Amino acid sequence: MRGLQAKARGAALGAGLLALTVQVAQAAPARAAMSYYTTAQAERGAATYQQSCAVCHGADLGGAFDVPPLVGRFAANWAGAPLSQLFDYMAKAMPLFAPGTLTPAQNADLLAFMLRENGAPAGSRDLPATLDGLKNMMFPKSTPASVK
């Protein structure tokens, strides 16, 4: 008889824990998807890209000759890295034939464009144009299957 009572208590305890887990999960706020930039900012970045970057990286961001693509494996290489690192690299080393000539706002717009082309969602705020504003934002880990 004691064995049946212990099993019944165990089943009741398990059911109670399950109910509590479901209640906690329902009460927890849903995490919003991280948004990185505005659509308008990505469009500005697209225009700057065509003027300053496409000659080397290709009109479709696919790379050319020895120049790496800015989609696909590029996204995989940067996945999880702070956006501040990429922004800093862009500011110091790009464009290749005139490094450091783009403004911080232009680099932020370019970064927004690159994020969009790699599947990051748009939001309601422009991507910051400062290292400090970008240090806690990470390059997204997932990209759409259609990206090169």
Side-chain angles (χ1 to χ4, degrees), residues 5-65:
Q5 288 176 341
K7 286 182 181 179
R9 276 191 232 137
L13 180 59
L17 286 173
L18 178 61
L20 180 61
T21 301
V22 169
Q23 288 174 350
V24 169
Q26 289 173 343
R31 281 193 182 184
M34 178 70 154
S35 61
Y36 292 89
Y37 58 88
T38 62
T39 301
Q41 185 179 32
E43 288 301 317
R44 291 191 307 268
T48 301
Y49 178 86
Q50 292 306 320
Q51 293 172 349
S52 301
C53 311
V55 68
C56 292
H57 289 282
D60 64 353
L61 289 85
F65 307 110

